[in-house]
Amino acid sequence: MTMLEDQTARPDEPADETGESLRIPVQSPAVQAPAALPLPLDFPVPQQHASPGPAAAENGESWPESYPQGYAVVDVETTGLARHDRIVSAAVYRLDARGEVEDHWYSTVNPQRDPGPTWIHGLTAEVLADAPLFTEIADAFADRLADRVLVAHNAVFDWSMIAREYARAERTPPVRQRLCTIALAKQLSLPLPNHKLESLAAHYGVAQRQAHHALDDARVLAEAFRPSLRLAARHGVRLPLLTCQPLSEWSEGGFGGGGRRDQGGSGHRPYGRSWRPARKRPACPYPNPGRYEPGGRLVQGMRVAISGDTSVDRELLEDRATEAGLHIASQVSRLTSLLVTNDPDSLTSKVVKAQAHGTPVVDEAAFGQLLLDVAPAPGSGG
């Protein structure tokens, strides 16, 4: 059984590792590169592409009927990696069902705060001062995401940032599924030295022209995704599609703030300080009473793992569980009492392990109800 990368980690945490993947004959790194997608110097919005010719039909080869009908290859550059950080630029390459380019779109975004690592994305406060706010590009962005699978490299990060921007704008993003090209590369057993975008690009002979520019990164990923998609189709590989759950409740929280002044009042705080360190929760004071019994109550001390997107911000949901006396586990093991997931059909590592261990599974709504009535730990006197 193939396990997909469990893209449930917060943006400031690593995602779970995958298990063994299908061994599929791969194209050698010397494979002929696909035709380059144009990167116009003035980044027009949008740019139309010529319709693909007969070659797009893969010379009459069959195509899996279960595959999506279209993709939106996305890259966003941000002020940082934490949940309170903001998008400073976004790009989308729209692809048809077989990975052929339909058009592309790009926009800078005024984050209304310090732009963060300008030495990486090149967008200074001066450049972004006249850029549109996210609320002003939300419709155009949504038009290019609608009815498509969002494709990104480390998709959980891009999706998390997009979901929070739409939540701030009191909008619902039109995305229901995402595909991570890292997870796809693992499923295809591509012989990569690591899972950086530059390594995936080099494998397919795709030239990067301006790394960390959203439009060029999206172009590079679109070019690399196309042969990966065709390789997956040729071998009938199940694509690593995960459900995208829009945020309905969230917290801005977090350490630091890019727009704050330093103590001397002479300028913005250094960017490094605005990267929130990984949170460390206090140890659960109650012993693990064992596995949750379906239909019963949660008991203080039970170990709960969460997989996939949640409509309540993950940190808020985890905080509520902790306050109720539960232990939040980052992984699933034989000691896990319960797995919470809104997408039980996705074969993430947590879901697969839960199935192997016979760990009960409930969705977020059911978990929310269970949190209202958690039984006290045995012997606690509650």
Side-chain angles (χ1 to χ4, degrees):
M1 179 178 292
T2 300
M3 288 188 288
L4 312 184
E5 183 167 2
D6 191 354
Q7 297 183 38
T8 63
R10 297 189 296 270
D12 48 357
E13 287 184 344
D16 292 348
E17 293 299 319
T18 60
E20 292 185 2
S21 57
L22 293 173
R23 303 298 301 179
I24 298 172
V26 296
Q27 296 164 309
S28 106
V31 66
Q32 182 177 358
L37 308 182
L39 175 64
L41 297 179
D42 56 350
F43 306 125
V45 182
Q47 171 69 37
Q48 297 295 326
H49 291 259
S51 299
E58 288 285 278
N59 298 320
E61 289 186 13
S62 61
W63 195 263
E65 294 183 0
S66 62
Y67 277 24
Q69 295 303 302
Y71 305 88
V73 179
V74 173
D75 184 75
V76 296
E77 297 299 319
T78 65
T79 61
L81 305 179
R83 299 176 91 82
H84 64 276
D85 279 299
R86 305 294 302 271
I87 290 175
V88 295
S89 64
V92 181
Y93 267 82
R94 292 197 293 188
L95 311 182
D96 67 15
R98 296 178 182 246
E100 296 294 341
V101 178
E102 295 177 338
D103 59 25
H104 70 255
W105 171 89
Y106 169 81
S107 180
T108 52
V109 182
N110 185 337
Q112 299 179 288
R113 54 160 289 177
D114 189 314
T118 56
W119 59 91
I120 295 177
H121 54 58
L123 297 171
T124 64
E126 291 73 22
V127 169
L128 296 172
D130 295 326
L133 303 179
F134 187 84
T135 52
E136 297 173 314
I137 69 159
D139 286 340
F141 199 6
D143 286 345
R144 285 151 183 88
L145 300 176
D147 302 319
R148 294 170 185 268
V149 170
L150 184 151
V151 177
H153 203 66
N154 189 23
V156 64
F157 175 78
D158 295 78
W159 163 245
S160 296
M161 289 296 179
I162 292 168
R164 292 185 71 83
E165 289 288 5
Y166 274 98
R168 292 186 188 98
E170 300 182 349
R171 297 277 303 277
T172 300
V175 178
R176 294 297 173 263
Q177 287 184 308
R178 67 174 179 266
L179 186 157
C180 180
T181 48
I182 296 176
L184 181 58
K186 290 179 178 180
Q187 276 197 265
L188 297 175
S189 300
L190 298 184
L192 306 178
N194 53 53
H195 294 290
K196 295 180 180 179
L197 177 58
E198 62 190 46
S199 297
L200 183 63
H203 174 74
Y204 287 118
V206 179
Q208 290 184 288
R209 302 174 188 170
Q210 193 173 353
H212 300 296
H213 188 293
L215 185 58
D216 193 52
D217 280 354
R219 174 192 63 82
V220 169
L221 189 57
E223 290 189 18
F225 172 63
R226 182 168 54 199
S228 290
L229 176 64
R230 291 176 176 174
L231 181 61
R234 190 176 308 129
H235 293 278
V237 174
R238 175 179 173 177
L239 295 179
L241 301 176
L242 294 180
T243 298
C244 291
Q245 185 82 20
L247 284 174
S248 60
E249 185 179 356
W250 73 98
S251 171
E252 286 298 340
F255 297 93
R260 297 179 184 174
R261 297 282 176 175
D262 62 17
Q263 292 181 349
S266 61
H268 293 297
R269 291 169 41 143
Y271 175 69
R273 295 183 189 174
S274 74
W275 284 30
R276 182 173 58 188
R279 294 203 311 172
K280 273 200 160 185
R281 297 184 180 279
C284 181
Y286 308 109
N288 184 357
R291 186 163 292 172
Y292 167 72
E293 295 294 335
R297 297 168 67 188
L298 290 172
V299 180
Q300 289 180 328
M302 282 186 171
R303 297 174 65 92
V304 177
I306 303 175
S307 176
D309 293 345
T310 53
S311 61
V312 174
D313 184 84
R314 279 286 296 277
E315 287 189 355
L316 286 180
L317 191 60
E318 291 172 354
D319 286 344
R320 290 169 186 171
T322 301
E323 290 165 4
L326 302 174
H327 175 105
I328 291 295
S330 60
Q331 303 289 339
V332 171
S333 72
R334 60 182 179 80
L335 300 177
T336 305
S337 307
L338 180 70
L339 176 66
V340 178
T341 180
N342 291 316
D343 194 13
D345 293 330
S346 64
L347 298 180
T348 64
S349 59
K350 288 179 182 175
V351 170
V352 170
K353 289 177 182 177
Q355 293 172 347
H357 293 301
T359 304
V361 177
V362 300
D363 63 18
E364 179 186 1
F367 183 60
Q369 290 298 312
L370 290 171
L371 285 178
L372 299 176
D373 185 26
V374 177
S380 65

